[in-house]
């Protein structure tokens, strides 16, 4: 299916310039059974996109209409059947009108009157048209609407606006080379798609059935919930003039679009790349598009890859195992240690020595001088109110001999130390009961962690991120968090093994 959709997108984009996003999102929306709104000035190929999408389906019927404030239901849903009026039945002749169409394009949608808008609500949401006393199941696969403006606030258009799940802005060509190619290109009024690529009604129904079977894993729900929270914070900011409103029904429809994207890309589960599409389904005003992109990108990069949330939990679990093992195999003891008294004077570190005969006689020697002192007398400067030149030598590890004269006489000083109480950790050999409990904890946690690594597959098989409906510059952003996830998983695996190794040495 993916190859067919890929070829379809290539064909649909033939002869168009800078319309790739509009084409692929419109195709995805229609194949999802949803509706899309194209916002753009006149002459930016909105209607052309709709006409091309119609060619995707074999024997498809299309309905296209330019709305104005004088448009009547007859023009959209068909004229009243005069013959039925004779039997007191009010029905419309719908053949050739919107209730009979596979693809519908309504330009300047917001100019439609209330009677048209209310009927569209049921058609879009339930694919049902109430014709007289009967409910007609309409064949509509997708409604494409367009306008050069957004619906006016306070005009009762909120419900209809909410039905358009995908919303995109279509702009004029900006790239100079693309614009040049466009000017020199020939008009393609007879655009056709290779019949081998077209989808039949049966193909479409099968596609919808398969797409509905696509799974939504918990980490994808986390992505959606994080985006939802970002929107709540955004709306609470009083600076924002335009609020973002996404109904529960809309979130449900968004998931349906993501499922379709996953299926058309050849997958049975929604992945992170599909979630990037949410950016096109939650803004209410063009000024929000960049902000919404930030929301979606952050949520996808932090939660979109399977295993990210679980790995954070595993980090905590393994840390708890280490702490528990340490508690069961260690004891805290207080030990008295001797620490050298060190003074800082004028930026220099000095050791203090006390005369072994007279305690009031002290000498301060530079720390490095003492460390470098040997058993032979050496001339040193020492700090005692003023610098003095004297010969010293080291005797043992803590005795300093100060030479008195040229004879062999000397004064002996001892390195001044102080007693400090220090809490130390003593490793204990566990008893049999403790040992068995620790081994059982290791066994259980190691087995569960290996099962997690196997199911998430982050350390085993390479993952490539691509999506037919998402630009590469977005999908490539997932390479870094995936690499980071793999590194973290490997590090935790090593940490768990090291904890066991350290314990085995103790035992």
């Amino acid at each position: 299916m993916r190859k067919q959709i890929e070829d379809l997108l290539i064909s649909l984009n033939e002869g168009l310039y800078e319309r790739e996003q509009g084409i692929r999102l419109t195709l995805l929306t229609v194949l999802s059974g949803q509706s899309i709104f194209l916002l753009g000035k006149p002459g930016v190929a909105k209607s052309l996109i709709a006409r091309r999408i119609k060619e995707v389906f074999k024997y498809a019927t299309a309905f296209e209409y330019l709305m104005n404030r004088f448009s009547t239901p007859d023009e959209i849903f068909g004229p009243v059947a005069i013959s039925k009026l004779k039997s007191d039945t009010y029905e419309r002749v719908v053949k050739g009108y919107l209730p009979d169409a596979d693809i519908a394009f309504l330009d300047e949608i917001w100019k439609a009157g209330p009677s048209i808008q209310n009927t569209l609500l049921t058609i879009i949401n339930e694919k049902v048209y109430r014709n007289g006393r009967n409910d007609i199941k309409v064949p509509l696969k997708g409604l494409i609407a367009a306008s050069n403006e957004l619906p006016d606030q306070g005009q009762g258009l909120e419900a209809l606006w909410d039905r358009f799940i995908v919303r995109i802005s279509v702009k004029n060509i900006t790239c100079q080379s693309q614009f040049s190619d466009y000017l020199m290109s020939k008009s393609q009024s007879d655009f056709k798609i290779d019949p081998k690529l077209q989808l039949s009604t049966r193909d479409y129904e099968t596609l919808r059935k398969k797409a509905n079977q696509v799974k939504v894993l918990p980490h994808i729900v986390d992505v959606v919930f994080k985006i939802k929270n970002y929107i709540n914070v955004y709306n609470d900011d009083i600076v924002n003039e335009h609020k973002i409103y996404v109904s529960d029904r809309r979130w449900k429809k968004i998931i349906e679009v993501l499922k379709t994207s996953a299926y058309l890309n050849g997958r049975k589960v929604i992945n992170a790349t599909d979630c990037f599409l949410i950016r096109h389904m939650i803004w209410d005003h063009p000024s929000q598009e960049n902000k919404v992109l930030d929301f979606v990108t952050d949520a996808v990069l932090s939660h979109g890859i399977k295993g990210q949330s679980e790995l954070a939990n595993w980090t905590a679990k393994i840390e708890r195992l280490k702490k528990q093992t340490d508690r069961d195999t260690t004891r805290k003891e207080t030990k008295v240690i001797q620490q050298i008294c060190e003074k800082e004077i004028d930026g220099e570190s000095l050791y203090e020595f006390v005369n072994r005969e007279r305690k009031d006689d002290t000498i301060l020697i530079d720390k490095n001088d003492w460390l470098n002192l040997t058993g032979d007398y050496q001339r040193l400067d020492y700090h005692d109110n003023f610098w003095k030149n004297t010969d010293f030598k080291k005797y043992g590890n803590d005795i300093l001999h100060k030479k008195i004269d040229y004879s062999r006489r000397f004064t002996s000083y001892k390195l001044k130390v102080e007693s400090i109480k220090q809490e130390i950790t003593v490793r204990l050999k566990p008893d049999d009961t403790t040992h068995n409990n620790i081994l059982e904890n290791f066994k259980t946690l190691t087995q569960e962690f290996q099962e997690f690594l196997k199911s998430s597959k982050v350390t085993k098989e390479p993952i490539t991120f691509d999506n037919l409906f998402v630009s590469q510059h977005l999908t490539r952003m997932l390479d870094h968090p995936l690499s980071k996830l793999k590194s973290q998983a490997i590090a935790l695996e090593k940490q768990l093994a090291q904890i066991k190794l350290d314990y085995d040495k103790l035992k």
Side-chain angles (χ1 to χ4, degrees):
M1 190 72 198
R2 178 189 165 100
K3 182 64 169 62
Q4 183 178 359
I5 298 301
E6 193 170 4
D7 291 341
L8 266 175
L9 288 171
I10 293 172
S11 181
L12 288 168
N13 276 293
E14 185 180 348
L16 294 184
Y17 301 89
E18 293 188 11
R19 295 294 175 264
E20 293 86 353
Q21 178 175 279
I23 286 290
R24 63 191 179 201
L25 290 177
T26 305
L27 178 63
L28 173 63
T29 305
V30 171
L31 294 181
S32 302
Q34 304 303 325
S35 300
I36 184 171
F37 173 72
L38 310 178
L39 176 64
K41 299 294 183 181
V44 292
K46 301 189 296 294
S47 59
L48 182 58
I49 291 174
R51 293 185 191 116
R52 289 206 170 189
I53 294 299
K54 177 252 181 185
E55 296 297 324
V56 170
F57 302 96
K58 292 179 180 178
Y59 317 117
T61 58
F63 178 79
E64 180 178 334
Y65 196 80
L66 174 62
M67 295 288 199
N68 61 69
R69 58 180 178 169
F70 302 110
S71 297
T72 65
D74 291 4
E75 297 168 308
I76 310 300
F77 308 113
V80 175
I82 304 299
S83 59
K84 297 286 186 178
L85 289 176
K86 295 177 181 180
S87 57
D88 296 330
T89 302
Y90 189 89
E91 290 185 7
R92 296 184 182 276
V93 180
V94 298
K95 187 170 182 60
Y97 291 87
L98 191 145
D100 184 50
D102 294 285
I103 300 294
F105 175 63
L106 299 179
D107 203 359
E108 297 304 328
I109 180 70
W110 311 122
K111 289 183 169 61
S115 59
I116 296 175
Q117 294 168 6
N118 292 335
T119 304
L120 286 175
L121 292 177
T122 306
I123 291 179
I124 294 173
N125 201 49
E126 301 172 24
K127 299 295 191 298
V128 169
Y129 173 66
R130 182 73 174 176
N131 193 14
R133 299 189 183 97
N134 303 313
D135 286 339
I136 301 175
K137 191 71 175 176
V138 300
L140 187 69
K141 297 174 177 60
L143 175 62
I144 305 169
S147 179
N148 57 16
E149 59 186 3
L150 294 173
D152 292 331
Q153 294 186 355
Q155 299 299 313
L157 297 170
E158 292 79 10
L160 183 58
W161 172 238
D162 190 61
R163 296 302 200 279
F164 293 103
I165 305 304
V166 179
R167 303 159 179 179
I168 60 173
S169 298
V170 185
K171 299 179 174 62
N172 285 309
I173 301 171
T174 57
C175 176
Q176 183 175 345
S177 61
Q178 291 272 303
F179 185 65
S180 177
D181 291 342
Y182 165 70
L183 293 179
M184 293 184 290
S185 65
K186 296 180 180 180
S187 299
Q188 293 186 333
S189 57
D190 57 344
F191 175 79
K192 295 293 180 183
I193 287 179
D194 186 343
K196 295 179 181 179
L197 298 177
Q198 288 181 308
L199 301 174
S200 66
T201 300
R202 185 175 181 178
D203 293 334
Y204 175 77
E205 291 172 351
T206 302
L207 183 158
R208 295 298 322 126
K209 182 179 179 180
K210 295 286 187 181
N212 286 331
Q213 295 173 358
V214 169
K215 294 181 180 180
V216 185
L217 300 180
H219 68 285
I220 298 299
V221 178
D222 291 341
V223 172
V224 174
F225 196 73
K226 189 172 182 66
I227 296 171
K228 193 172 185 292
N229 285 339
Y230 276 138
I231 292 174
N232 291 337
V233 173
Y234 176 85
N235 288 338
D236 288 340
D237 189 344
I238 59 174
V239 175
N240 297 317
E241 178 183 354
H242 300 284
K243 305 297 182 183
I244 298 175
Y245 175 71
V246 185
S247 64
D248 292 343
R249 174 183 59 210
R250 187 176 191 78
W251 282 117
K252 185 71 172 176
K253 298 292 186 182
I254 287 172
I255 293 298
E256 290 182 22
V257 175
L258 302 191
K259 283 184 173 183
T260 306
S261 172
Y263 174 71
L264 296 178
N265 277 284
R267 288 182 272 103
K268 295 181 179 180
V269 295
I270 295 173
N271 76 5
T273 63
D274 303 310
C275 293
F276 279 119
L277 294 166
I278 297 175
R279 61 178 287 215
H280 302 291
M281 295 183 271
I282 57 176
W283 60 264
D284 280 322
H285 192 274
S287 63
Q288 300 163 345
E289 288 189 76
N290 288 335
K291 182 58 67 175
V292 160
L293 176 59
D294 291 340
F295 296 163
V296 172
T297 301
D298 183 79
V300 171
L301 296 184
S302 60
H303 292 78
I305 301 175
K306 184 180 179 182
Q308 283 178 302
S309 300
E310 294 93 327
L311 203 62
N313 294 333
W314 274 109
T315 301
K317 285 182 182 179
I318 293 175
E319 186 60 33
R320 283 197 297 271
L321 174 67
K322 185 179 186 306
K323 289 181 179 179
Q324 183 63 48
T325 305
D326 288 343
R327 279 196 298 268
D328 293 340
T329 59
T330 59
R331 181 179 71 239
K332 299 291 184 181
E333 291 184 355
T334 302
K335 181 180 180 181
V336 178
I337 63 172
Q338 301 296 315
Q339 181 171 296
I340 299 173
C341 295
E342 187 173 344
K343 292 186 177 182
E344 188 81 20
I345 299 178
D346 297 332
E348 296 187 61
S349 296
L350 307 171
Y351 283 168
E352 184 174 4
F353 296 82
V354 180
N355 191 313
R356 301 178 77 179
E357 303 293 333
R358 300 195 324 272
K359 302 301 181 183
D360 58 339
D361 181 13
T362 61
I363 292 176
L364 294 176
I365 298 293
D366 184 272
K367 175 181 176 180
N368 291 326
D369 285 347
W370 164 253
L371 296 176
N372 294 324
L373 199 60
T374 66
D376 298 323
Y377 279 112
Q378 298 176 45
R379 177 64 53 93
L380 297 179
D381 291 333
Y382 69 96
H383 193 283
D384 187 10
N385 296 325
F386 57 90
W387 292 102
K388 299 179 179 179
N389 294 322
T390 308
D391 291 334
F392 295 93
K393 72 177 181 178
K394 182 184 290 187
Y395 184 77
N397 293 324
D398 60 350
I399 303 299
L400 177 72
H401 286 177
K402 174 185 176 184
K403 192 173 183 179
I404 296 177
D405 51 33
Y406 291 105
S407 68
R408 299 178 63 85
R409 292 190 305 156
F410 59 86
T411 302
S412 182
Y413 293 82
K414 185 175 178 62
L415 182 63
K416 186 177 180 179
V417 295
E418 58 182 347
S419 298
I420 295 178
K421 292 182 178 180
Q422 188 178 61
E423 190 177 68
I424 61 172
T425 300
V426 179
R427 297 303 300 266
L428 303 174
K429 184 177 181 179
D431 56 42
D432 290 340
T433 301
T434 302
H435 176 63
N436 290 334
N437 289 338
I438 290 174
L439 287 184
E440 185 62 31
N441 288 339
F442 272 123
K443 181 180 178 181
T444 301
L445 200 63
T446 301
Q447 182 177 350
E448 291 177 354
F449 187 61
Q450 290 301 324
E451 289 175 355
F452 158 73
L453 292 179
K454 184 179 179 180
S455 64
S456 63
K457 302 179 182 178
V458 294
T459 61
K460 298 299 180 184
E461 60 184 45
I463 300 176
T464 56
F465 292 109
D466 70 319
N467 194 303
L468 294 174
F469 308 103
V470 180
S471 61
Q472 285 188 351
H473 86 272
L474 287 177
T475 58
R476 286 173 180 168
M477 294 173 67
L478 290 163
D479 291 340
H480 175 68
L482 176 62
S483 175
K484 182 179 178 182
L485 181 65
K486 288 183 177 181
S487 299
Q488 289 175 333
I490 293 171
L492 283 178
E493 192 174 23
K494 290 180 179 179
Q495 183 182 355
L496 187 59
Q498 187 63 48
I499 295 172
K500 181 65 167 60
L501 180 62
D502 292 343
Y503 175 74
D504 287 342
K505 288 180 180 178
L506 176 66
K507 182 62 181 176

